[in-house]
mmCIF file of all heavy atoms in Angstrom:
data_model
loop_
_atom_site.group_PDB
_atom_site.id
_atom_site.type_symbol
_atom_site.label_atom_id
_atom_site.label_comp_id
_atom_site.label_asym_id
_atom_site.label_seq_id
_atom_site.Cartn_x
_atom_site.Cartn_y
_atom_site.Cartn_z
ATOM 1 N N LEU A 239 -21.210 16.498 9.408
ATOM 2 C CA LEU A 239 -21.158 17.233 8.146
ATOM 3 C C LEU A 239 -21.462 18.693 8.464
ATOM 4 O O LEU A 239 -22.434 18.970 9.186
ATOM 5 C CB LEU A 239 -22.182 16.702 7.152
ATOM 6 C CG LEU A 239 -21.958 15.310 6.566
ATOM 7 C CD1 LEU A 239 -23.258 14.782 5.957
ATOM 8 C CD2 LEU A 239 -20.879 15.343 5.493
ATOM 9 N N ASN A 240 -20.675 19.625 7.944
ATOM 10 C CA ASN A 240 -20.957 21.032 8.197
ATOM 11 C C ASN A 240 -20.252 21.915 7.176
ATOM 12 O O ASN A 240 -19.312 21.484 6.488
ATOM 13 C CB ASN A 240 -20.535 21.434 9.613
ATOM 14 C CG ASN A 240 -19.019 21.524 9.776
ATOM 15 O OD1 ASN A 240 -18.343 20.496 9.843
ATOM 16 N ND2 ASN A 240 -18.479 22.740 9.836
ATOM 17 N N VAL A 241 -20.710 23.169 7.097
ATOM 18 C CA VAL A 241 -20.034 24.207 6.339
ATOM 19 C C VAL A 241 -19.856 25.402 7.257
ATOM 20 O O VAL A 241 -20.849 26.015 7.683
ATOM 21 C CB VAL A 241 -20.816 24.614 5.077
ATOM 22 C CG1 VAL A 241 -20.091 25.746 4.351
ATOM 23 C CG2 VAL A 241 -21.002 23.424 4.142
ATOM 24 N N ALA A 242 -18.616 25.740 7.582
ATOM 25 C CA ALA A 242 -18.312 26.898 8.409
ATOM 26 C C ALA A 242 -17.946 28.082 7.514
ATOM 27 O O ALA A 242 -17.589 27.913 6.336
ATOM 28 C CB ALA A 242 -17.176 26.585 9.375
ATOM 29 N N VAL A 243 -18.027 29.271 8.102
ATOM 30 C CA VAL A 243 -17.636 30.501 7.414
ATOM 31 C C VAL A 243 -16.578 31.204 8.256
ATOM 32 O O VAL A 243 -16.810 31.535 9.425
ATOM 33 C CB VAL A 243 -18.835 31.436 7.193
ATOM 34 C CG1 VAL A 243 -18.379 32.701 6.458
ATOM 35 C CG2 VAL A 243 -19.941 30.740 6.419
ATOM 36 N N GLY A 244 -15.400 31.416 7.673
ATOM 37 C CA GLY A 244 -14.321 32.085 8.374
ATOM 38 C C GLY A 244 -13.802 31.262 9.532
ATOM 39 O O GLY A 244 -14.071 30.072 9.665
ATOM 40 N N GLY A 245 -12.994 31.881 10.362
ATOM 41 C CA GLY A 245 -12.410 31.195 11.504
ATOM 42 C C GLY A 245 -10.892 31.222 11.446
ATOM 43 O O GLY A 245 -10.266 31.761 10.518
ATOM 44 N N ASN A 246 -10.284 30.612 12.464
ATOM 45 C CA ASN A 246 -8.832 30.676 12.613
ATOM 46 C C ASN A 246 -8.081 30.120 11.415
ATOM 47 O O ASN A 246 -7.001 30.619 11.076
ATOM 48 C CB ASN A 246 -8.401 29.912 13.866
ATOM 49 C CG ASN A 246 -8.956 30.510 15.138
ATOM 50 O OD1 ASN A 246 -9.317 31.695 15.179
ATOM 51 N ND2 ASN A 246 -9.053 29.706 16.193
ATOM 52 N N TRP A 247 -8.624 29.082 10.796
ATOM 53 C CA TRP A 247 -7.896 28.445 9.699
ATOM 54 C C TRP A 247 -8.126 29.140 8.353
ATOM 55 O O TRP A 247 -7.156 29.596 7.736
ATOM 56 C CB TRP A 247 -8.234 26.960 9.634
ATOM 57 C CG TRP A 247 -7.368 26.182 8.698
ATOM 58 C CD1 TRP A 247 -6.080 26.478 8.319
ATOM 59 C CD2 TRP A 247 -7.688 24.969 8.026
ATOM 60 N NE1 TRP A 247 -5.591 25.529 7.466
ATOM 61 C CE2 TRP A 247 -6.552 24.587 7.268
ATOM 62 C CE3 TRP A 247 -8.817 24.165 8.001
ATOM 63 C CZ2 TRP A 247 -6.538 23.446 6.479
ATOM 64 C CZ3 TRP A 247 -8.802 23.012 7.235
ATOM 65 C CH2 TRP A 247 -7.671 22.668 6.476
ATOM 66 N N PRO A 248 -9.346 29.257 7.857
ATOM 67 C CA PRO A 248 -9.503 29.958 6.570
ATOM 68 C C PRO A 248 -9.243 31.452 6.660
ATOM 69 O O PRO A 248 -8.970 32.096 5.643
ATOM 70 C CB PRO A 248 -10.950 29.667 6.178
ATOM 71 C CG PRO A 248 -11.641 29.373 7.463
ATOM 72 C CD PRO A 248 -10.635 28.707 8.341
ATOM 73 N N GLY A 249 -9.317 32.009 7.872
ATOM 74 C CA GLY A 249 -9.112 33.434 8.044
ATOM 75 C C GLY A 249 -10.432 34.194 8.048
ATOM 76 O O GLY A 249 -11.523 33.612 8.024
ATOM 77 N N PHE A 250 -10.347 35.505 8.065
ATOM 78 C CA PHE A 250 -11.527 36.329 8.265
ATOM 79 C C PHE A 250 -11.813 37.252 7.084
ATOM 80 O O PHE A 250 -12.603 38.184 7.180
ATOM 81 C CB PHE A 250 -11.379 37.118 9.569
ATOM 82 C CG PHE A 250 -11.176 36.207 10.755
ATOM 83 C CD1 PHE A 250 -9.900 35.938 11.229
ATOM 84 C CD2 PHE A 250 -12.243 35.574 11.342
ATOM 85 C CE1 PHE A 250 -9.706 35.076 12.292
ATOM 86 C CE2 PHE A 250 -12.055 34.709 12.415
ATOM 87 C CZ PHE A 250 -10.782 34.452 12.888
ATOM 88 N N SER A 251 -11.155 36.975 5.958
ATOM 89 C CA SER A 251 -11.466 37.652 4.704
ATOM 90 C C SER A 251 -12.510 36.816 3.972
ATOM 91 O O SER A 251 -12.229 35.697 3.543
ATOM 92 C CB SER A 251 -10.209 37.820 3.858
ATOM 93 O OG SER A 251 -10.514 38.361 2.586
ATOM 94 N N ILE A 252 -13.728 37.344 3.824
ATOM 95 C CA ILE A 252 -14.851 36.591 3.275
ATOM 96 C C ILE A 252 -15.313 37.236 1.973
ATOM 97 O O ILE A 252 -15.491 38.456 1.904
ATOM 98 C CB ILE A 252 -16.036 36.545 4.267
ATOM 99 C CG1 ILE A 252 -15.558 36.206 5.678
ATOM 100 C CG2 ILE A 252 -17.081 35.548 3.781
ATOM 101 C CD1 ILE A 252 -14.934 34.862 5.832
ATOM 102 N N ASN A 253 -15.508 36.427 0.934
ATOM 103 C CA ASN A 253 -16.062 36.908 -0.326
ATOM 104 C C ASN A 253 -17.584 36.888 -0.214
ATOM 105 O O ASN A 253 -18.244 35.910 -0.551
ATOM 106 C CB ASN A 253 -15.595 36.039 -1.486
ATOM 107 C CG ASN A 253 -16.134 36.508 -2.831
ATOM 108 O OD1 ASN A 253 -16.747 37.576 -2.927
ATOM 109 N ND2 ASN A 253 -15.893 35.717 -3.869
ATOM 110 N N ASP A 254 -18.156 37.980 0.254
ATOM 111 C CA ASP A 254 -19.597 38.034 0.462
ATOM 112 C C ASP A 254 -20.375 37.886 -0.836
ATOM 113 O O ASP A 254 -21.519 37.417 -0.840
ATOM 114 C CB ASP A 254 -19.978 39.348 1.151
ATOM 115 C CG ASP A 254 -19.553 39.387 2.615
ATOM 116 O OD1 ASP A 254 -19.247 38.314 3.179
ATOM 117 O OD2 ASP A 254 -19.522 40.496 3.195
ATOM 118 N N GLY A 255 -19.779 38.283 -1.948
ATOM 119 C CA GLY A 255 -20.470 38.192 -3.223
ATOM 120 C C GLY A 255 -20.664 36.770 -3.733
ATOM 121 O O GLY A 255 -21.410 36.562 -4.698
ATOM 122 N N ALA A 256 -19.990 35.793 -3.100
ATOM 123 C CA ALA A 256 -20.082 34.408 -3.559
ATOM 124 C C ALA A 256 -21.244 33.651 -2.933
ATOM 125 O O ALA A 256 -21.543 32.529 -3.355
ATOM 126 C CB ALA A 256 -18.778 33.677 -3.269
ATOM 127 N N PHE A 257 -21.896 34.210 -1.937
ATOM 128 C CA PHE A 257 -22.960 33.502 -1.230
ATOM 129 C C PHE A 257 -24.270 33.563 -2.019
ATOM 130 O O PHE A 257 -24.505 34.529 -2.772
ATOM 131 C CB PHE A 257 -23.152 34.101 0.172
ATOM 132 C CG PHE A 257 -22.060 33.750 1.123
ATOM 133 C CD1 PHE A 257 -20.907 34.504 1.172
ATOM 134 C CD2 PHE A 257 -22.160 32.652 1.950
ATOM 135 C CE1 PHE A 257 -19.881 34.181 2.044
ATOM 136 C CE2 PHE A 257 -21.141 32.321 2.826
ATOM 137 C CZ PHE A 257 -19.997 33.088 2.874
ATOM 138 N N PRO A 258 -25.131 32.528 -1.844
ATOM 139 C CA PRO A 258 -24.973 31.370 -0.951
ATOM 140 C C PRO A 258 -23.977 30.362 -1.498
ATOM 141 O O PRO A 258 -23.763 30.277 -2.711
ATOM 142 C CB PRO A 258 -26.385 30.780 -0.888
ATOM 143 C CG PRO A 258 -26.982 31.145 -2.208
ATOM 144 C CD PRO A 258 -26.429 32.511 -2.548
ATOM 145 N N GLN A 259 -23.377 29.590 -0.583
ATOM 146 C CA GLN A 259 -22.433 28.539 -0.912
ATOM 147 C C GLN A 259 -22.976 27.212 -0.392
ATOM 148 O O GLN A 259 -23.444 27.142 0.739
ATOM 149 C CB GLN A 259 -21.060 28.806 -0.304
ATOM 150 C CG GLN A 259 -20.300 29.946 -0.982
ATOM 151 C CD GLN A 259 -19.712 29.511 -2.311
ATOM 152 O OE1 GLN A 259 -18.940 28.574 -2.401
ATOM 153 N NE2 GLN A 259 -20.083 30.191 -3.367
ATOM 154 N N GLU A 260 -22.923 26.156 -1.211
ATOM 155 C CA GLU A 260 -23.510 24.867 -0.836
ATOM 156 C C GLU A 260 -22.514 23.721 -0.898
ATOM 157 O O GLU A 260 -21.712 23.644 -1.838
ATOM 158 C CB GLU A 260 -24.694 24.522 -1.749
ATOM 159 C CG GLU A 260 -25.978 25.238 -1.423
ATOM 160 C CD GLU A 260 -27.162 24.618 -2.149
ATOM 161 O OE1 GLU A 260 -26.974 23.730 -3.023
ATOM 162 O OE2 GLU A 260 -28.300 25.047 -1.840
ATOM 163 N N MET A 261 -22.573 22.837 0.092
ATOM 164 C CA MET A 261 -21.976 21.516 0.020
ATOM 165 C C MET A 261 -23.094 20.525 -0.258
ATOM 166 O O MET A 261 -24.102 20.499 0.438
ATOM 167 C CB MET A 261 -21.269 21.156 1.334
ATOM 168 C CG MET A 261 -20.695 19.731 1.343
ATOM 169 S SD MET A 261 -19.623 19.385 2.771
ATOM 170 C CE MET A 261 -20.788 19.255 4.089
ATOM 171 N N LYS A 262 -22.920 19.705 -1.315
ATOM 172 C CA LYS A 262 -23.919 18.715 -1.685
ATOM 173 C C LYS A 262 -23.375 17.314 -1.400
ATOM 174 O O LYS A 262 -22.266 16.980 -1.814
ATOM 175 C CB LYS A 262 -24.298 18.856 -3.162
ATOM 176 C CG LYS A 262 -24.997 20.170 -3.493
ATOM 177 C CD LYS A 262 -25.390 20.266 -4.950
ATOM 178 C CE LYS A 262 -24.179 20.432 -5.843
ATOM 179 N NZ LYS A 262 -24.553 20.634 -7.269
ATOM 180 N N VAL A 263 -24.178 16.520 -0.682
ATOM 181 C CA VAL A 263 -23.764 15.185 -0.268
ATOM 182 C C VAL A 263 -24.696 14.169 -0.913
ATOM 183 O O VAL A 263 -25.894 14.124 -0.598
ATOM 184 C CB VAL A 263 -23.789 15.044 1.263
ATOM 185 C CG1 VAL A 263 -23.233 13.678 1.673
ATOM 186 C CG2 VAL A 263 -23.001 16.181 1.920
ATOM 187 N N ASP A 264 -24.158 13.350 -1.816
ATOM 188 C CA ASP A 264 -24.958 12.342 -2.519
ATOM 189 C C ASP A 264 -25.319 11.187 -1.593
ATOM 190 O O ASP A 264 -26.442 10.688 -1.612
ATOM 191 C CB ASP A 264 -24.172 11.840 -3.735
ATOM 192 C CG ASP A 264 -24.938 10.807 -4.538
ATOM 193 O OD1 ASP A 264 -26.174 10.845 -4.548
ATOM 194 O OD2 ASP A 264 -24.298 9.949 -5.164
ATOM 195 N N TYR A 265 -24.351 10.730 -0.792
ATOM 196 C CA TYR A 265 -24.604 9.655 0.163
ATOM 197 C C TYR A 265 -23.509 9.634 1.214
ATOM 198 O O TYR A 265 -22.421 10.188 1.013
ATOM 199 C CB TYR A 265 -24.681 8.280 -0.522
ATOM 200 C CG TYR A 265 -23.408 7.849 -1.234
ATOM 201 C CD1 TYR A 265 -22.324 7.342 -0.532
ATOM 202 C CD2 TYR A 265 -23.303 7.935 -2.612
ATOM 203 C CE1 TYR A 265 -21.168 6.935 -1.179
ATOM 204 C CE2 TYR A 265 -22.145 7.538 -3.272
ATOM 205 C CZ TYR A 265 -21.085 7.048 -2.554
ATOM 206 O OH TYR A 265 -19.936 6.658 -3.207
ATOM 207 N N VAL A 266 -23.793 8.966 2.332
ATOM 208 C CA VAL A 266 -22.817 8.621 3.360
ATOM 209 C C VAL A 266 -23.042 7.155 3.695
ATOM 210 O O VAL A 266 -24.171 6.750 3.977
ATOM 211 C CB VAL A 266 -22.957 9.473 4.631
ATOM 212 C CG1 VAL A 266 -21.889 9.064 5.651
ATOM 213 C CG2 VAL A 266 -22.847 10.957 4.319
ATOM 214 N N ARG A 267 -21.944 6.329 3.697
ATOM 215 C CA ARG A 267 -22.069 4.897 3.937
ATOM 216 C C ARG A 267 -20.971 4.426 4.876
ATOM 217 O O ARG A 267 -19.818 4.871 4.769
ATOM 218 C CB ARG A 267 -21.991 4.113 2.614
ATOM 219 C CG ARG A 267 -23.106 4.457 1.634
ATOM 220 C CD ARG A 267 -22.841 3.903 0.249
ATOM 221 N NE ARG A 267 -23.859 4.359 -0.692
ATOM 222 C CZ ARG A 267 -23.759 4.271 -2.012
ATOM 223 N NH1 ARG A 267 -22.664 3.764 -2.561
ATOM 224 N NH2 ARG A 267 -24.732 4.705 -2.800
ATOM 225 N N VAL A 268 -21.323 3.515 5.763
ATOM 226 C CA VAL A 268 -20.385 2.941 6.716
ATOM 227 C C VAL A 268 -20.439 1.421 6.596
ATOM 228 O O VAL A 268 -21.517 0.827 6.707
ATOM 229 C CB VAL A 268 -20.696 3.368 8.161
ATOM 230 C CG1 VAL A 268 -19.676 2.742 9.126
ATOM 231 C CG2 VAL A 268 -20.699 4.883 8.294
#
Side-chain angles (χ1 to χ4, degrees):
L239 291 162
N240 73 285
V241 178
V243 181
N246 297 338
W247 190 27
F250 302 97
S251 174
I252 314 297
N253 181 8
D254 288 344
F257 287 86
Q259 288 284 302
E260 282 193 352
M261 176 170 73
K262 295 181 289 184
V263 185
D264 181 29
Y265 62 78
V266 181
R267 298 168 185 166
V268 180

